[in-house]
Amino acid sequence: MADDTEISSPAATLVAEPGPETAGRRTMILNMGPQHPSTHGVLRIVLELDGETIVKARPDIGFLHTGIEKECEAKFYQQVVPLTDRVDYLANLSNNLCYCLAVEKLLGIEVPRAAQWMRVMLTELTRINSHLVWLGTHALDIGAMTVFFYCFRERETICKLFEKFSGQRMMTSYFRIGGLALEPPRGWQQAAGGFLKHFPANVDEYEDLLDKNPIWLRRTQRVGQVPLERMLDLGVTGPMIRAAGISWDIRKSEPYSGYDEFDFEVPTRTENDVWARYRVRMEELRQSWRIATQALEGMPGGPWMAAAPKVVLPDREKMKTQMEALIYHFKIVTEGFRVPAGDVYQCIESPRGELGYYVVSDGTSKPHRVFMRTPSFGNLQVLPAMLEGRLIADSIASLGSVDFVLGDVDR
Amino acid sequence: MLSEELTQIPAISALAESYGAAILEGGLSRGEAALYVDPVRIIEICRFLKDEQGFSRLSGVTAVDWHPVEPRFEVVYLLQSLPAGQGGPPQTARLRLKCRLHGEAPEIDSVYGVWRGADWYEREVFDLFGIRFREHPNLTRILLPEGWQGHPLRRDYPKHGHKYDYGEET
């Protein structure tokens, strides 16, 4: 904390000279983050305050930049899959799915229906998982502590389910180019069914804690509003834009992985405030539950991997008995597989919005370029519009309503 | 000129009518339309697509480096139309615009004036590729620290073993 005139670098480099509206008034620079708990990661925001009002907000990102896009260029196509988990670590399977779909599009591979449905079920569980973390921490930020425990109780079940499938709770890397990494474990139906059976009652429980809570309502209603045109102009996607009245969901508008076979609704609100974003995500929990239940009940049989021996690793048993399988295995592992030259942009609806992978192939076994159009990066641009001119006390609620993941922002 | 299947897309045929000379090349592969356009006229084209053809969203801006081929850089704009009508799933269309830029002092006009969302994406391309966007209001590094040497996503930037002192000496 210091006066505008006294602040030393680097904050001084981020905040412009006092603007015309602030000229003549003494403002204060407040540095929020990068370790502020409500930023859920390492986001730094330089706030220029006039009393309790935020005059300017400058997000400073990049603390979690790991150069994943560069790293992808040094890996074989199949080796990139585990890197995508680390981008948005709360929606790991969404990232796996998007990358796999992009490469499958380049290769022209058709994934078996059973694998598509399993992917749908697991990405919907990922959405539930991600929304639960968001709800718990968002409520915690605003002061409703109990919700956190309830949310993490169910999240734990999902993490255990993921562990059952892939051996990992968070960095699952369960999807592979051409299908799934492993056959689903024995008893997965009971495990998934057991969770899904109780989940609607759990959502009611979270709502009981918040929906009529006067503190929650006063802290979220009419807070963090941004004009819809501004949001569209800034490229905001996902629950944020749906809470502003646009019924746009990529699962409906550009269906992928068999989403057109499922029956679900796209919840929207028109209030466009923190509360509306909360309501939209709560409804999404229910819709995700609907999709996951449909996938569980109607799970088709059949193979889990595409019949593409040059791309998909062979069955372990075949490797021991068939020369061809052994050769393919050796080739895929040591030299990767060649992908026809070209570029594709594949986008999916991640829990946070439009997640897109732009993959450019030059015909070799390593991607020439992988660009990750991450929803958090796009949505975070709205922060200045959301915070400026508002009270500093509302900034925490507004931040939480964006639901960003810093790994997703910085890559 | 553009192939027949491309000109069947209304937005592209309208663009070809008004800005035919600025469209250098176009292709439709795997159901995705991409146009190479003249970098000098990028703002006009984007404005036309946004105002007249309903491409109200810019999903992102990125770049591809084809080093050592010249012109080595390709700036890629991911456009999307999102009909304003409410209720029912909107029929969206996507279009990619690409601009080729030479490696020596690569520069292109910023589309910040068309879509505000271009702000961070252009800063990211500047940061990681070293492509300058003219008239961008705040063209500074966004992910890497200020004072970082080089632009990591260029193909001639080493994948491992860069030397950087994290500014301790200064």
Side-chain angles (χ1 to χ4, degrees), chain A residues 4 7 10-19 27-30 44-48 56-58:
Chain A
D4 194 62
I7 192 111
T13 60
L14 281 157
V15 176
E17 295 292 305
T27 54
M28 188 179 85
I29 304 290
L30 182 70
R44 173 170 173 245
I45 309 171
V46 182
L47 300 170
E48 188 181 345
K56 258 194 189 119
R58 290 281 166 274

mmCIF file of all heavy atoms in Angstrom, chain A residues 4 7 10-19 27-30 44-48 56-58:
data_model
loop_
_atom_site.group_PDB
_atom_site.id
_atom_site.type_symbol
_atom_site.label_atom_id
_atom_site.label_comp_id
_atom_site.label_asym_id
_atom_site.label_seq_id
_atom_site.Cartn_x
_atom_site.Cartn_y
_atom_site.Cartn_z
ATOM 1 N N ASP A 4 0.029 6.861 -4.869
ATOM 2 C CA ASP A 4 0.296 6.723 -6.294
ATOM 3 C C ASP A 4 1.694 7.203 -6.652
ATOM 4 O O ASP A 4 2.392 6.606 -7.448
ATOM 5 C CB ASP A 4 -0.757 7.551 -7.035
ATOM 6 C CG ASP A 4 -0.781 7.218 -8.500
ATOM 7 O OD1 ASP A 4 -1.070 6.060 -8.808
ATOM 8 O OD2 ASP A 4 -0.492 8.087 -9.310
ATOM 9 N N ILE A 7 4.766 4.775 -5.267
ATOM 10 C CA ILE A 7 4.884 3.352 -5.580
ATOM 11 C C ILE A 7 6.082 3.105 -6.493
ATOM 12 O O ILE A 7 6.358 3.851 -7.405
ATOM 13 C CB ILE A 7 3.580 2.825 -6.209
ATOM 14 C CG1 ILE A 7 3.578 1.302 -6.265
ATOM 15 C CG2 ILE A 7 3.373 3.357 -7.603
ATOM 16 C CD1 ILE A 7 2.587 0.732 -5.327
ATOM 17 N N PRO A 10 7.301 -3.085 -9.538
ATOM 18 C CA PRO A 10 6.729 -3.117 -10.879
ATOM 19 C C PRO A 10 5.280 -2.630 -10.954
ATOM 20 O O PRO A 10 4.751 -2.529 -12.045
ATOM 21 C CB PRO A 10 6.782 -4.585 -11.229
ATOM 22 C CG PRO A 10 6.615 -5.283 -9.926
ATOM 23 C CD PRO A 10 7.209 -4.395 -8.898
ATOM 24 N N ALA A 11 4.656 -2.356 -9.807
ATOM 25 C CA ALA A 11 3.257 -1.941 -9.883
ATOM 26 C C ALA A 11 3.117 -0.656 -10.689
ATOM 27 O O ALA A 11 2.168 -0.493 -11.434
ATOM 28 C CB ALA A 11 2.698 -1.733 -8.480
ATOM 29 N N ALA A 12 4.104 0.210 -10.560
ATOM 30 C CA ALA A 12 4.030 1.473 -11.273
ATOM 31 C C ALA A 12 3.984 1.260 -12.780
ATOM 32 O O ALA A 12 3.399 2.038 -13.511
ATOM 33 C CB ALA A 12 5.221 2.341 -10.909
ATOM 34 N N THR A 13 4.591 0.195 -13.234
ATOM 35 C CA THR A 13 4.594 -0.047 -14.664
ATOM 36 C C THR A 13 3.243 -0.558 -15.141
ATOM 37 O O THR A 13 2.960 -0.526 -16.315
ATOM 38 C CB THR A 13 5.660 -1.084 -15.032
ATOM 39 O OG1 THR A 13 5.350 -2.291 -14.334
ATOM 40 C CG2 THR A 13 7.034 -0.610 -14.695
ATOM 41 N N LEU A 14 2.438 -1.069 -14.219
ATOM 42 C CA LEU A 14 1.169 -1.643 -14.620
ATOM 43 C C LEU A 14 0.051 -0.621 -14.589
ATOM 44 O O LEU A 14 -0.921 -0.747 -15.296
ATOM 45 C CB LEU A 14 0.807 -2.789 -13.684
ATOM 46 C CG LEU A 14 1.534 -4.075 -14.000
ATOM 47 C CD1 LEU A 14 1.592 -4.942 -12.782
ATOM 48 C CD2 LEU A 14 0.853 -4.781 -15.139
ATOM 49 N N VAL A 15 0.182 0.352 -13.741
ATOM 50 C CA VAL A 15 -0.897 1.317 -13.624
ATOM 51 C C VAL A 15 -0.517 2.565 -14.393
ATOM 52 O O VAL A 15 0.561 3.114 -14.220
ATOM 53 C CB VAL A 15 -1.151 1.642 -12.141
ATOM 54 C CG1 VAL A 15 -2.208 2.713 -12.017
ATOM 55 C CG2 VAL A 15 -1.574 0.396 -11.417
ATOM 56 N N ALA A 16 -1.428 2.976 -15.236
ATOM 57 C CA ALA A 16 -1.139 4.151 -16.063
ATOM 58 C C ALA A 16 -1.159 5.401 -15.205
ATOM 59 O O ALA A 16 -1.524 5.373 -14.031
ATOM 60 C CB ALA A 16 -2.169 4.255 -17.169
ATOM 61 N N GLU A 17 -0.774 6.490 -15.784
ATOM 62 C CA GLU A 17 -0.875 7.779 -15.102
ATOM 63 C C GLU A 17 -2.329 8.019 -14.722
ATOM 64 O O GLU A 17 -3.232 7.538 -15.401
ATOM 65 C CB GLU A 17 -0.412 8.880 -16.066
ATOM 66 C CG GLU A 17 1.052 8.804 -16.444
ATOM 67 C CD GLU A 17 1.944 9.102 -15.271
ATOM 68 O OE1 GLU A 17 1.780 10.163 -14.656
ATOM 69 O OE2 GLU A 17 2.801 8.262 -14.951
ATOM 70 N N PRO A 18 -2.575 8.778 -13.670
ATOM 71 C CA PRO A 18 -3.970 9.023 -13.304
ATOM 72 C C PRO A 18 -4.757 9.572 -14.475
ATOM 73 O O PRO A 18 -4.307 10.478 -15.170
ATOM 74 C CB PRO A 18 -3.852 10.059 -12.182
ATOM 75 C CG PRO A 18 -2.500 9.863 -11.623
ATOM 76 C CD PRO A 18 -1.635 9.379 -12.745
ATOM 77 N N GLY A 19 -5.910 8.982 -14.724
ATOM 78 C CA GLY A 19 -6.730 9.404 -15.853
ATOM 79 C C GLY A 19 -7.409 10.717 -15.563
ATOM 80 O O GLY A 19 -7.308 11.250 -14.460
ATOM 81 N N THR A 27 -5.421 8.948 -5.251
ATOM 82 C CA THR A 27 -5.893 7.560 -5.215
ATOM 83 C C THR A 27 -4.830 6.709 -4.549
ATOM 84 O O THR A 27 -3.699 7.143 -4.328
ATOM 85 C CB THR A 27 -6.172 7.041 -6.628
ATOM 86 O OG1 THR A 27 -4.997 7.250 -7.413
ATOM 87 C CG2 THR A 27 -7.343 7.737 -7.265
ATOM 88 N N MET A 28 -5.196 5.505 -4.262
ATOM 89 C CA MET A 28 -4.269 4.591 -3.587
ATOM 90 C C MET A 28 -4.113 3.338 -4.429
ATOM 91 O O MET A 28 -5.082 2.871 -5.030
ATOM 92 C CB MET A 28 -4.839 4.226 -2.227
ATOM 93 C CG MET A 28 -3.884 3.452 -1.367
ATOM 94 S SD MET A 28 -4.621 3.098 0.237
ATOM 95 C CE MET A 28 -5.533 1.635 -0.123
ATOM 96 N N ILE A 29 -2.902 2.809 -4.465
ATOM 97 C CA ILE A 29 -2.674 1.564 -5.192
ATOM 98 C C ILE A 29 -2.687 0.418 -4.189
ATOM 99 O O ILE A 29 -1.976 0.450 -3.188
ATOM 100 C CB ILE A 29 -1.312 1.590 -5.912
ATOM 101 C CG1 ILE A 29 -1.205 2.784 -6.840
ATOM 102 C CG2 ILE A 29 -1.102 0.289 -6.664
ATOM 103 C CD1 ILE A 29 -2.066 2.714 -8.048
ATOM 104 N N LEU A 30 -3.494 -0.562 -4.466
ATOM 105 C CA LEU A 30 -3.539 -1.740 -3.606
ATOM 106 C C LEU A 30 -3.179 -2.946 -4.443
ATOM 107 O O LEU A 30 -3.751 -3.173 -5.508
ATOM 108 C CB LEU A 30 -4.934 -1.910 -3.002
ATOM 109 C CG LEU A 30 -5.094 -3.090 -2.048
ATOM 110 C CD1 LEU A 30 -4.330 -2.845 -0.764
ATOM 111 C CD2 LEU A 30 -6.556 -3.325 -1.749
ATOM 112 N N ARG A 44 -2.516 -11.774 -9.848
ATOM 113 C CA ARG A 44 -2.255 -10.514 -9.165
ATOM 114 C C ARG A 44 -3.101 -9.450 -9.824
ATOM 115 O O ARG A 44 -3.175 -9.391 -11.046
ATOM 116 C CB ARG A 44 -0.775 -10.160 -9.295
ATOM 117 C CG ARG A 44 -0.413 -8.812 -8.773
ATOM 118 C CD ARG A 44 1.102 -8.682 -8.728
ATOM 119 N NE ARG A 44 1.481 -7.339 -8.386
ATOM 120 C CZ ARG A 44 2.133 -6.542 -9.220
ATOM 121 N NH1 ARG A 44 2.469 -6.936 -10.413
ATOM 122 N NH2 ARG A 44 2.481 -5.330 -8.838
ATOM 123 N N ILE A 45 -3.768 -8.672 -9.000
ATOM 124 C CA ILE A 45 -4.553 -7.568 -9.540
ATOM 125 C C ILE A 45 -4.064 -6.295 -8.879
ATOM 126 O O ILE A 45 -3.982 -6.235 -7.644
ATOM 127 C CB ILE A 45 -6.055 -7.748 -9.257
ATOM 128 C CG1 ILE A 45 -6.514 -9.138 -9.693
ATOM 129 C CG2 ILE A 45 -6.867 -6.708 -9.998
ATOM 130 C CD1 ILE A 45 -7.913 -9.442 -9.248
ATOM 131 N N VAL A 46 -3.709 -5.332 -9.670
ATOM 132 C CA VAL A 46 -3.310 -4.037 -9.123
ATOM 133 C C VAL A 46 -4.541 -3.150 -9.158
ATOM 134 O O VAL A 46 -5.082 -2.866 -10.216
ATOM 135 C CB VAL A 46 -2.158 -3.418 -9.937
ATOM 136 C CG1 VAL A 46 -1.736 -2.105 -9.330
ATOM 137 C CG2 VAL A 46 -0.994 -4.379 -9.996
ATOM 138 N N LEU A 47 -4.978 -2.768 -7.966
ATOM 139 C CA LEU A 47 -6.200 -1.974 -7.863
ATOM 140 C C LEU A 47 -5.840 -0.529 -7.540
ATOM 141 O O LEU A 47 -5.002 -0.274 -6.677
ATOM 142 C CB LEU A 47 -7.104 -2.524 -6.755
ATOM 143 C CG LEU A 47 -7.588 -3.963 -6.903
ATOM 144 C CD1 LEU A 47 -8.250 -4.411 -5.609
ATOM 145 C CD2 LEU A 47 -8.557 -4.078 -8.051
ATOM 146 N N GLU A 48 -6.478 0.365 -8.237
ATOM 147 C CA GLU A 48 -6.324 1.772 -7.907
ATOM 148 C C GLU A 48 -7.613 2.187 -7.224
ATOM 149 O O GLU A 48 -8.690 2.074 -7.805
ATOM 150 C CB GLU A 48 -6.081 2.589 -9.190
ATOM 151 C CG GLU A 48 -5.709 4.026 -8.894
ATOM 152 C CD GLU A 48 -5.506 4.829 -10.166
ATOM 153 O OE1 GLU A 48 -5.379 4.234 -11.238
ATOM 154 O OE2 GLU A 48 -5.493 6.065 -10.062
ATOM 155 N N LYS A 56 -9.417 1.698 -11.018
ATOM 156 C CA LYS A 56 -8.800 0.920 -12.085
ATOM 157 C C LYS A 56 -8.399 -0.438 -11.554
ATOM 158 O O LYS A 56 -7.970 -0.559 -10.411
ATOM 159 C CB LYS A 56 -7.551 1.644 -12.593
ATOM 160 C CG LYS A 56 -7.796 2.359 -13.900
ATOM 161 C CD LYS A 56 -6.499 2.754 -14.541
ATOM 162 C CE LYS A 56 -6.778 3.652 -15.727
ATOM 163 N NZ LYS A 56 -6.196 4.978 -15.585
ATOM 164 N N ALA A 57 -8.547 -1.439 -12.367
ATOM 165 C CA ALA A 57 -8.098 -2.775 -11.994
ATOM 166 C C ALA A 57 -7.267 -3.317 -13.139
ATOM 167 O O ALA A 57 -7.708 -3.317 -14.288
ATOM 168 C CB ALA A 57 -9.299 -3.680 -11.739
ATOM 169 N N ARG A 58 -6.061 -3.724 -12.835
ATOM 170 C CA ARG A 58 -5.180 -4.270 -13.867
ATOM 171 C C ARG A 58 -4.771 -5.681 -13.482
ATOM 172 O O ARG A 58 -3.930 -5.859 -12.624
ATOM 173 C CB ARG A 58 -3.925 -3.409 -14.011
ATOM 174 C CG ARG A 58 -4.148 -2.063 -14.619
ATOM 175 C CD ARG A 58 -4.262 -2.141 -16.132
ATOM 176 N NE ARG A 58 -4.800 -0.900 -16.671
ATOM 177 C CZ ARG A 58 -6.113 -0.640 -16.770
ATOM 178 N NH1 ARG A 58 -7.002 -1.520 -16.390
ATOM 179 N NH2 ARG A 58 -6.530 0.499 -17.269
#
